[in-house]
C-alpha cells in the first residue's frame, strides 16, 4: 500500500502498543510520520496500518467491531478505549461480546427494567450488553430445543465471575423456576461461591483470587422453558499446587483460613503458615485487604447454607489440618539400603497428628509412607522406599486426599442446588482460567495454555462458521476462503504416539529419567516443527508458538508435577478410617488397580481426558462467547493500559477472530453506507440513479477493484481494498477542496477589491466634506466672534454701571442706618435712665417702709411680752374665788383700756395706711415694670431651656420611636411565624382528623364486613337454614347508598326518589325484604345473569342491561336487605364477562384480530363502567331507602371492577401499540439522508420520508376512538385512557434514545419529529371532549423548563450517544463529555437508583368520585324490558309500569 502526505495511520510504539500518527513525508520505503505526542519518527511502510479519516465523526466509536472501516489491532484497541471512556463497557465483534471491567458500580445497566428491555430482542438491535447474549442463548434454546453454552473467558480480575453472575441473573429472570422455592438458582449458585473459592482459588502472580479450576454452571430447563434445576461441573483442578508453590504465589485459601481460625487451629495443633512445609515455600501469607479469620467464618457459613452438617464440617477441616501435618513429615535413611524412616521427633509428632486427624492407625500410616507392596503369584512383597520416594509418596497422598475432598464438596453443592435428571435442554456457563504467560512458566502454565488452545480451536470454528453463515445469507461465493486453524499446535502437544504429553508420560514411567533426557528427546523428535523452538541460553527450556504468542517453558519440575500415583495402600489406609467422611472419599478400588499397589497416573493425560470431556460437552451445544478484559493492573476506574489490553485481546482470541475475518472479507458495508461514503468517486452515476447496488458495482468497477462480492444487502471487500477506496476518495476530496479554495480565494479577493474601491470613494467623499465643513466653520466662527464681541462690550459697560449704582445705594443705606442707629441709642439711653431712676426711688421707699414695719412689730411684740409676764406674775399670786373675780374685773377694765388704745392705734394706722397706699401704688408701678422686664427675661431663658428640652425630648422620642418600630417589626415577624406555625398545626390537625375519620370509616366497614361474615356463617349452619327468622343489623351500620354526605351537589342530578318508589308494593314487610324464598332467589339470579351475559346493547346511549339490573335490584329491595347473596352473583357474572372480553391478545389492533364487529369491547363492559357511578353512586338522593352493608360492599366491588377494566384496557392498548411503535423508533434506510446524492439537478425534488409506520399508529388511534364512541364509553374515561397512552409513547421514544445508539442520530430525530407532528395533528383534529391539547412549547421553554428536569446521567447519556449521520458534523466535544462524566460520577455516588430510563405510569388516574361527577346521570325509566325476560314473574311489575309513580 502506498502512503501519501497527510494520510492518517497507526504506528506501533513499545509503551502504548499503537499510537495515532499522520504521514508528513515519504521517501522510497521510509515514511516520516508525526505522532499524536508531536514526535517525528521514521518507520517502514510495512509497519504502518491505515486509520479511518472519518473516525472522529459520529462519536468516534462503533458498537460492533465488524463496522470498523479498518479491522485491525489498533482499530479494535482504540474503539474499546473510546467506548470505555464513555462507560460503554460492552462491545460486539460479530456475535462475540467483549466486556471491559469498569471497576466501579454501574447499577443502571443491570436493573429489572434493563432486563425487560432486552427480553426477546434480536442480538445487535440494542446496545451491546451481556443480557443480550444471555437472551440470545435462551431464545435459541427455546426455539431450536438445543442446549446452549456461554463461554466466559479472560485473565484473572477481568470480571468473569461477575459476568457469570449477571448471565445467571438474567436467565433466572426470563426462565423463572418451575418449582416453588424460596431461593432462585442464581442465589443458590452464588451462595456456594465462597466455598468453591476457598478450596479452588489461590493467589497467582497477577491476581490475588485466581480460580485454579474450570467451572461449568449448567442451568437446566424443562419443556416449557422454565428453570428446573442446576448443576456445577468442575474441570482441571490444579492438584500440584497442594504440595508445590512458587514465590510470591500461595496455596489454596482454605489452608491459610484454617491456620487463622483461632481456637479451631489450636484444636488441630496448627500455627502460623510459615511453620508448614506446603505453605512456607512462598513468603506471601497474607493478602492485602483480606482477613483470613473472617474468610474462615464466611466459608463455614457457606457450608451451613449448602447443607453440610457440623460433623462433616469438622471432618473437612480435620482433613485439611492432616494434609498440613502430612507435609511436615520428613524422612531420613534407614538401617537397610534404600530404606527410610521418620527423621526426628518433630516429624513423628506431625505423623501422629496426621493419623489422629485422619482417624487411622499411626503405624499403618508409617508403613504406607515408607514401604510399598508388590503383589506376585507367590504373594505380596514388601519393598522399602528411599527418602525421595517416601517424600513423593507423601505428596501423592496429600494431592489425592485434597482432590477427592474437592470433588466431594462439588457433589454436595449440586445436591443442595437440585438437579433435574430429566432435563433435555440446558444452558451452560463456562468460567475457566485464561491464557497465561509469565517470566517463569512451568507445568501448570503448559496445561492451562493447552486448554486455551483447545478452546481457541473451538472458538475459531465457531467464528468461521458465523462467517460462513453470513456469506450464505448474503448469497456470495466463499468456497476459496482459507480457514485459520491451530491444529498443528494441538498435534504437537497431544498427538499419539509422539507428542509432548506422550513423551512426558513415557519419561515419567522410568525412574531414572530426568528433565534433561525429556527435553533432549523432545527436541530430537520435533526438531523440524515450526511451532517448537529451543532457547538460546538453556538446554532444557523450550518455546511454543501459541495463538496468543510465544511462551517459554522451564522443564525442571515437569516430571515431578506430572507424576501422580494411584497407591492401593493409600486407599486401604484411609478407607479403614473411623471418620465416615474420610472412609467415604476412598471407596473400593477396581480389580486392575489391586494387582499393582503403586500404579503410575499421568496428570497431563488425566488433564487431557477432562479437557476432551469438556470439549465434547461444548460441541454438543451451540456456543456463545463473552471475552472479559481487564483495563488496567491497579484495578482503578477510567484507566486504560493499551499494552495490557492488547495482550489480553491476543490471549482471548479476539485478534485471532480479526485474523479470521481478514482471511475472508473483513470490510462489509450496506449499499446505502457504501454509496454515502464513496458516491463522490462517480458523480456522473449519482444523477437520477436510485439503485444502490448498481451504484456500488459501478464505483468498484471504475476503481478497477477485483475479488469483491456483492451480497443481498451488503458489499464485501477484501483486505486493503477499503484503503484504496479511501485514498481515492481523499484525492477527490482534496481536488474538490483545492477547487473550492481557488474559487473561494477569487471570491474573497474580488470582495476585498470591491470593498477597497468603495472605501476609497467613501474616503474621498468624506475628505471633501471635511474641507467644506472646515471652511464653513471658519466663516461661522468669524461672524460669531463679532457678535460675541458686541455682546461682551455691552455686558462690560452694563456691569460697570450696575457696580456704580450698587455702590451708591450701599453708601446711602449705610449712612442712613448709622444715623438711625445713633438716634435709637440716645432714645434707649434716656428710657433706661428713667427706668433706673424710678426703680431706685421705688427701692428707697420700699426699704423705708420695711424698716418702719419691722420696728413697729418689734415694739408691739416687746410690749405684749411685757404685759403678758406681768399678768402671769399677778395670776400666780392670786388665789381663791375672790381673787378671780377681782382679776376678772381688772381684766375687763384692761380690755376696755386696751380697746381704746386699739381704736386710737387703728386711727393712726389708718392714716399711716393711706400714706402707705400711695407709696404702695408707686412701688407697684415700679415693680410692675421690673416684673415685666424680669418676666420677659425669664420667658426668654425658659423658652431657650424649653427649646433644648424639647430637642432632647425629640431625640429621645425618635430613639424610642425607632426602638418601638424595631420591636413592632420583630413582633410582627414573630406573629407571622406564629400564624404560619398555627396554620401548619391547623393543617396537620385537619390532616390527622381526616386520617382519623378515614380510619374510623374503615374500622366501621371492617366491623360491618365482620358482622356480615358472621351472619353468613350462621346462615350456612343447618339450624339457621331451617329458620326463616333473621337478625337485623344495628342501626349504626345502616347508611344510604352512595356518598354519605347527602348535601353534596354534583354536576348532574338524578330524578327524585319518590318517582322510583311508586311501584313498590306496600304489603312487603321488613322480614320479607331481608329474605326471599329459595325459588324466587334462583329466578332473580337467572334474570340478572341473562342480562349480564346477553348482548342487550344500548338505547339512546343508555346501557340496557345496567338499567334493567338496577331496576330489578330496586324493585326487589335488595339494597335494603341486611343479608343477601344476589350482589355476589352479579359481581361474579361481571368478572366472568371481563375475563372473556379483556384478554391479553389485544382489543383494538386491527379488525381482523378482533373477535366482533365495531362493538368488540362488549357493551357489558361499558355498562359496568356506568353502573357503579350513575346507578349506585347517585342513590344518595333516595332519602327513603336505607342501604345495608351488602349494598355498600357491592358498590366497592363495582368500583374495583371499574379500576380493573381501566387497567386491563390500558395494558392491552400498550401491548397493541408496542409493535407499531417499535418500527417507528428508528428511521428506515430509505428515509435517511444520502450525502452522495446531494448534487441532484434543481428540477429533481427530494422524496419525502415515508411515514407509513406513523400512519399505522394514527389509524390505530382512529380505530380506537371509533370503537370507544361506538360503545358509548364516557368522554372522561376516554380522555384519561388516551392521556396515559400518549405518556407511554413518550416514555418509549425517550428510552429508545438512551438505549439504542442508532436511534440517537440527526436523521432519526427528523424522522421521529415528523411522526410526532402527525400525532399532534391527530390531537388537534380530535374533539375537545376526547383530549385537551397542550400548548406547544417554545425552544426557550424547553431550554428553561424541560432540560433542568432531566437528570445529569440522562443528559450525559444522550450527549455521549448522539452522532450526526446526515452531515457528519462533530457532536459534543470530548472536553464537554469528560466534564459531564466527572459530574455523573459525583452524582452517582449519592444516588440510590442510578437508572437513567423513565418508568411507565401504572396508576389509576381517577377516583370513583371523579368518574361519578364527570359522567351525566342516566334516566332508566324509559328503558323497556327485553322480550326474552317477559316470562319471568319477578319482573312483571316492570313490564306493566315503566314509569314509577311517587309513593
Amino acid at each position: 500500500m502506498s502512503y501519501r502526505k497527510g494520510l492518517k495511520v497507526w504506528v506501533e510504539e513499545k509503551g502504548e502498543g499503537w499510537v495515532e500518527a499522520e504521514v508528513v513525508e515519504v521517501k522510497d520505503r521510509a515514511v516520516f510520520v508525526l505522532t499524536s505526542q508531536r514526535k517525528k519518527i521514521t518507520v517502514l511502510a510495512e509497519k504502518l496500518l491505515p486509520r479511518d479519516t472519518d473516525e472522529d465523526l459520529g462519536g468516534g466509536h462503533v458498537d460492533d467491531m465488524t463496522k470498523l472501516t479498518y479491522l485491525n489491532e489498533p482499530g479494535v484497541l482504540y474503539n474499546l478505549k473510546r467506548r470505555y471512556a464513555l462507560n460503554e463497557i460492552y462491545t460486539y465483534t460479530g456475535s462475540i461480546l467483549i466486556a471491559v471491567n469498569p471497576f466501579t458500580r454501574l447499577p443502571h445497566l443491570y436493573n429489572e427494567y434493563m432486563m425487560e428491555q432486552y427480553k426477546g430482542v434480536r442480538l445487535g438491535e440494542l446496545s451491546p450488553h451481556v443480557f443480550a447474549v444471555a437472551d440470545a442463548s435462551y431464545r435459541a434454546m427455546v426455539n431450536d430445543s438445543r442446549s446452549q453454552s456461554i463461554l466466559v473467558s479472560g485473565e484473572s480480575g477481568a470480571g468473569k465471575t461477575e459476568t457469570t453472575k449477571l448471565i445467571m441473573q438474567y436467565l433466572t429472570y426470563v426462565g423463572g423456576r418451575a418449582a416453588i422455592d424460596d431461593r432462585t438458582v442464581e442465589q443458590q449458585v452464588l451462595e456456594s461461591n465462597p466455598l468453591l473459592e476457598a478450596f479452588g482459588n489461590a493467589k497467582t502472580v497477577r491476581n490475588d483470587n485466581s480460580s485454579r479450576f474450570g467451572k461449568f454452571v449448567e442451568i437446566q430447563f424443562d419443556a416449557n422453558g422454565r428453570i428446573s434445576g442446576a448443576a456445577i461441573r468442575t474441570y482441571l483442578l490444579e492438584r500440584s499446587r497442594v504440595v508445590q508453590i512458587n514465590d510470591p504465589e500461595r496455596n489454596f485459601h482454605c489452608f491459610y483460613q484454617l491456620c487463622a481460625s483461632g481456637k479451631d487451629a489450636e484444636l488441630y495443633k496448627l500455627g502460623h503458615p510459615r511453620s508448614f512445609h506446603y505453605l512456607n515455600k512462598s513468603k506471601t501469607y497474607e493478602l492485602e485487604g483480606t482477613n483470613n479469620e473472617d474468610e474462615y467464618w464466611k466459608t463455614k457459613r457457606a457450608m451451613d447454607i449448602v447443607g453440610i452438617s457440623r460433623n462433616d464440617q469438622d471432618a473437612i477441616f480435620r482433613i485439611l489440618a492432616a494434609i498440613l501435618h502430612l507435609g511436615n513429615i520428613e524422612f531420613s535413611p534407614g538401617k537397610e539400603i534404600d530404606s527410610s524412616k521418620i527423621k526426628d521427633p518433630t516429624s513423628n509428632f506431625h505423623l501422629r497428628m496426621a493419623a489422629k486427624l485422619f482417624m487411622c492407625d499411626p503405624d499403618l500410616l508409617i508403613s504406607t509412607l515408607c514401604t510399598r507392596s508388590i503383589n506376585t503369584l507367590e504373594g505380596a512383597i514388601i519393598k522399602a522406599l528411599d527418602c525421595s520416594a517416601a517424600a513423593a509418596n507423601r505428596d501423592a497422598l496429600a494431592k489425592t486426599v485434597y482432590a477427592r475432598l474437592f470433588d466431594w464438596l462439588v457433589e454436595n453443592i449440586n445436591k443442595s442446588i437440585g438437579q433435574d435428571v430429566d432435563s433435555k435442554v440446558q444452558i451452560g456457563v463456562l468460567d475457566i482460567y485464561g491464557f497465561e504467560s509469565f517470566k517463569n512458566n512451568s507445568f501448570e502454565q503448559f496445561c492451562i495454555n493447552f486448554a486455551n488452545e483447545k478452546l481457541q480451536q473451538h472458538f475459531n470454528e465457531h467464528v468461521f462458521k458465523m462467517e460462513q453463515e453470513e456469506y450464505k445469507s448474503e448469497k456470495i461465493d466463499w468456497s476459496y476462503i482459507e480457514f485459520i486453524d491451530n491444529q498443528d499446535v494441538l498435534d504437537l502437544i497431544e498427538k499419539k504416539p509422539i507428542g509432548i504429553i506422550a513423551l512426558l508420560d513415557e519419561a515419567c514411567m522410568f525412574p531414572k529419567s530426568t528433565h534433561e533426557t525429556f527435553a533432549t528427546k523432545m527436541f530430537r523428535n520435533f526438531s523440524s516443527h515450526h511451532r517448537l523452538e529451543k532457547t538460546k541460553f538453556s538446554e532444557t527450556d523450550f518455546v511454543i508458538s501459541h495463538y496468543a504468542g510465544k511462551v517459554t517453558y522451564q522443564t525442571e519440575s515437569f516430571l515431578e508435577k506430572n507424576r501422580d500415583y494411584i497407591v492401593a495402600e493409600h486407599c486401604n489406609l484411609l478407607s479403614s478410617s473411623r471418620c465416615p467422611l474420610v472412609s467415604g472419599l476412598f471407596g473400593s478400588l477396581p480389580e486392575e488397580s489391586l494387582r499393582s499397589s503403586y500404579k503410575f497416573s499421568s496428570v497431563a493425560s488425566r488433564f487431557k481426558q477432562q479437557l476432551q470431556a469438556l470439549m465434547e460437552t461444548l460441541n454438543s451445544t451451540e456456543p456463545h462467547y463473552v471475552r472479559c478484559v481487564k483495563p488496567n493492573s491497579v484495578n482503578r476506574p477510567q484507566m486504560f493500559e493499551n499494552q495490557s489490553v492488547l495482550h489480553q485481546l491476543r490471549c482471548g482470541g479476539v485478534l485471532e477472530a480479526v485474523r479470521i475475518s481478514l482471511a475472508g472479507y473483513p470490510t462489509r458495508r450496506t449499499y446505502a453506507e457504501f454509496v454515502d461514503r464513496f458516491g463522490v468517486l462517480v458523480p456522473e452515476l449519482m444523477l437520477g440513479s436510485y439503485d444502490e447496488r448498481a451504484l456500488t458495482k459501478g464505483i468498484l468497477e471504475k476503481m478497477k477493484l477485483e475479488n469483491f462480492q456483492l451480497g443481498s444487502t451488503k458489499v464485501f471487500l477484501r483486505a486493503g481494498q477499503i484503503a484504496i477506496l479511501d485514498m481515492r476518495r481523499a484525492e477527490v476530496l482534496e481536488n474538490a477542496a483545492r477547487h473550492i479554495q481557488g474559487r473561494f480565494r477569487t471570491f474573497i479577493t474580488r470582495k476585498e477589491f470591491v470593498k477597497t474601491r468603495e472605501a476609497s470613494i467613501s474616503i474621498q467623499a468624506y475628505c471633501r466634506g471635511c474641507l467644506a465643513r472646515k471652511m464653513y466653520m471658519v466663516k461661522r466662527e468669524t461672524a460669531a466672534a463679532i457678535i460675541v464681541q458686541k455682546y461682551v462690550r455691552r455686558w462690560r459697560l452694563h456691569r460697570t454701571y450696575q457696580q456704580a449704582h450698587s455702590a451708591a445705594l450701599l453708601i446711602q443705606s449705610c449712612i442712613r442706618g448709622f444715623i438711625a442707629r445713633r438716634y435709637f441709642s440716645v432714645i434707649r439711653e434716656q428710657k433706661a435712665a428713667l427706668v433706673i431712676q424710678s426703680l431706685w426711688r421705688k427701692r428707697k421707699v420700699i426699704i423705708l417702709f420695711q424698716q418702719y414695719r419691722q420696728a413697729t412689730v418689734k415694739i408691739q411684740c416687746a410690749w405684749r411680752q411685757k404685759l403678758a409676764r406681768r399678768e402671769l406674775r399677778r395670776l400666780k399670786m392670786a388665789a381663791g374665788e375672790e381673787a378671780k373675780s377681782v382679776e376678772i374685773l381688772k381684766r375687763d377694765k384692761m380690755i376696755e383700756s386696751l380697746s381704746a388704745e386699739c381704736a386710737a392705734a387703728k386711727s393712726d394706722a389708718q392714716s399711716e395706711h393711706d400714706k402707705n397706699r400711695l407709696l404702695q401704688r408707686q412701688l407697684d408701678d415700679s415693680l410692675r415694670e421690673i416684673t415685666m422686664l424680669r418676666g420677659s427675661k425669664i420667658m426668654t431663658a425658659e423658652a431657650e431651656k424649653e427649646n433644648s428640652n424639647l430637642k432632647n425630648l425629640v431625640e429621645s422620642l425618635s430613639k424610642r420611636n425607632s426602638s418601638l418600630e424595631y420591636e413592632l417589626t420583630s413582633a410582627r415577624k414573630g406573629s407571622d411565624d406564629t400564624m404560619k406555625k398555627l396554620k401548619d398545626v391547623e393543617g396537620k390537625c385537619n390532616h390527622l382528623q381526616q386520617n382519623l375519620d378515614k380510619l374510623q370509616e374503615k374500622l366501621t366497614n371492617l366491623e360491618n364486613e365482620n358482622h356480615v361474615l358472621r351472619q353468613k356463617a350462621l346462615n350456612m349452619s343447618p339450624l339457621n337454614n331451617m329458620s326463616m327468622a333473621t337478625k337485623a343489623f344495628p342501626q349504626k351500620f345502616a347508611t344510604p347508598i352512595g356518598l354519605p354526605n347527602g348535601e353534596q351537589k354534583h354536576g348532574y342530578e338524578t330524578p327524585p326518589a319518590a318517582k322510583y318508589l311508586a311501584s313498590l308494593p306496600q304489603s312487603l314487610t321488613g322480614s320479607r325484604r331481608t329474605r326471599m324464598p329459595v325459588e324466587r332467589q334462583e329466578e332473580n339470579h337467572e334474570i340478572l345473569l341473562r342480562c349480564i351475559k346477553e348482548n342487550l346493547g344500548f338505547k339512546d346511549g343508555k346501557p340496557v342491561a345496567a338499567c334493567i339490573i338496577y331496576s330489578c335490584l330496586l324493585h326487589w329491595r335488595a339494597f335494603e336487605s341486611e343479608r343477601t347473596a344476589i350482589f355476589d352473583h352479579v359481581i361474579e357474572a361481571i368478572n366472568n364477562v371481563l375475563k372473556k372480553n379483556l384478554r391479553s391478545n389485544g382489543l383494538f389492533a386491527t379488525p381482523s384480530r378482533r373477535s366482533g364487529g365495531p362493538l368488540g369491547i362488549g357493551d357489558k363492559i361499558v355498562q359496568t363502567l356506568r353502573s357503579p357511578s350513575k346507578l349506585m353512586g347517585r342513590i344518595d338522593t333516595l332519602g327513603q331507602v336505607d342501604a345495608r352493608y351488602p349494598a355498600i360492599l357491592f358498590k366497592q366491588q363495582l368500583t374495583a371492577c371499574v379500576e380493573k377494566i381501566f387497567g386491563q384496557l390500558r395494558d392491552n392498548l400498550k401491548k397493541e401499540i408496542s409493535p407499531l411503535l417499535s418500527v417507528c423508533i428508528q428511521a428506515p434506510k430509505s428515509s435517511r439522508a444520502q450525502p452522495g446524492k446531494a448534487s441532484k439537478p434543481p428540477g429533481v425534488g427530494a422524496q419525502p420520508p415515508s411515514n407509513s409506520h406513523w400512519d399505522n399508529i394514527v389509524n390505530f388511534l382512529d380505530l380506537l376512538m371509533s370503537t370507544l364512541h361506538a360503545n358509548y364509553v364516557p368522554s372522561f374515561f376516554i380522555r384519561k385512557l388516551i392521556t396515559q397512552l400518549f405518556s407511554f409513547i413518550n416514555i418509549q421514544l425517550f428510552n429508545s434514545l438512551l438505549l439504542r445508539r442508532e436511534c440517537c442520530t440527526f436523521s432519526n430525530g427528523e424522522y421521529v419529529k415528523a411522526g410526532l407532528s402527525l400525532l399532534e395533528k391527530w390531537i388537534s383534529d380530535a374533539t375537545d371532549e376526547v383530549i385537551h391539547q397542550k400548548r406547544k412549547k417554545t425552544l426557550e421553554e424547553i431550554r428553561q423548563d424541560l432540560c433542568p428536569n432531566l437528570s445529569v446521567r440522562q443528559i450525559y447519556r444522550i450527549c455521549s450517544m448522539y452522532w450526526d449521520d446526515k452531515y457528519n458534523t462533530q457532536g459534543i466535544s470530548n472536553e464537554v463529555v469528560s466534564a459531564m462524566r466527572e459530574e455523573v460520577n459525583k452524582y452517582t455516588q449519592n444516588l440510590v437508583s442510578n437508572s437513567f430510563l423513565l418508568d411507565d405510569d401504572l396508576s389509576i388516574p381517577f377516583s370513583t368520585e371523579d368518574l361519578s361527577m364527570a359522567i351525566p346521570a342516566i334516566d332508566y325509566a324509559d328503558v323497556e324490558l327485553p322480550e326474552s325476560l317477559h316470562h319471568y314473574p319477578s319482573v312483571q311489575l316492570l313490564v306493566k309500569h315503566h314509569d314509577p309513580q311517587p309513593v
Side-chain angles (χ1 to χ4, degrees), residues 971-984:
R972 286 179 179 175
K973 291 182 180 179
S975 63
D976 293 339
D977 295 338
T978 305
M979 289 300 295
K980 290 182 180 178
K981 291 180 181 179
L982 288 175
K983 290 181 180 179
D984 294 338

Side-chain angles (χ1 to χ4, degrees), residues 667-723:
T667 305
R668 303 130 198 224
R669 291 288 182 274
T670 61
Y671 292 123
E673 294 173 350
F674 188 84
V675 172
D676 288 344
R677 185 174 179 86
F678 300 109
V680 294
L681 300 178
V682 286
E684 65 277 4
L685 299 179
M686 300 296 292
L687 298 176
S689 177
Y690 294 96
D691 188 356
E692 294 174 340
R693 192 175 190 275
L695 287 173
T696 302
K697 185 176 181 181
I699 293 171
L700 294 173
E701 289 177 350
K702 184 177 180 181
M703 295 297 103
K704 299 179 181 180
L705 296 180
E706 299 177 355
N707 295 331
F708 62 86
Q709 294 280 354
L710 298 178
S712 301
T713 60
K714 298 179 182 177
V715 56
F716 293 79
L717 302 177
R718 300 287 287 182
Q721 291 181 340
I722 193 71

Side-chain angles (χ1 to χ4, degrees), residues 432-481:
I432 197 169
Y433 30 59
F435 191 89
E436 292 185 354
S437 177
F438 305 133
K439 184 178 181 180
N440 295 317
N441 300 285
S442 186
F443 179 72
E444 294 84 4
Q445 283 70 40
F446 176 77
C447 294
I448 289 171
N449 294 341
F450 170 50
N452 279 274
E453 284 285 355
K454 274 281 190 182
L455 294 174
Q456 185 62 32
Q457 185 187 37
H458 185 266
F459 175 71
N460 291 350
E461 291 176 355
H462 172 72
V463 172
F464 190 71
K465 180 181 176 182
M466 297 300 292
E467 292 279 314
Q468 290 179 350
E469 290 179 356
E470 183 170 5
Y471 295 156
K472 286 181 180 179
S473 65
E474 293 290 333
K475 300 177 182 179
I476 66 172
D477 183 18
W478 55 272
S479 58
Y480 59 89
I481 297 176

Side-chain angles (χ1 to χ4, degrees), residues 828-841:
R828 188 173 59 180
E829 288 176 358
Q830 291 178 356
K831 286 184 177 182
L834 292 175
V835 170
I836 292 171
Q837 291 174 1
S838 62
L839 290 176
W840 174 249
R841 293 189 187 99

Side-chain angles (χ1 to χ4, degrees), residues 360-380:
C360 62
D361 187 7
D363 298 331
L364 184 57
L365 179 58
I366 296 174
S367 175
T368 301
L369 295 178
C370 298
T371 61
R372 187 175 83 182
S373 63
I374 302 175
N375 295 325
T376 63
L377 295 176
E378 288 80 10

Side-chain angles (χ1 to χ4, degrees), residues 956-970:
S956 62
L957 289 176
S958 61
K959 292 180 181 179
R960 186 177 180 184
N961 188 22
S962 59
S963 63
L964 290 176
E965 288 180 355
Y966 176 76
E967 292 177 359
L968 179 61
T969 304
S970 60

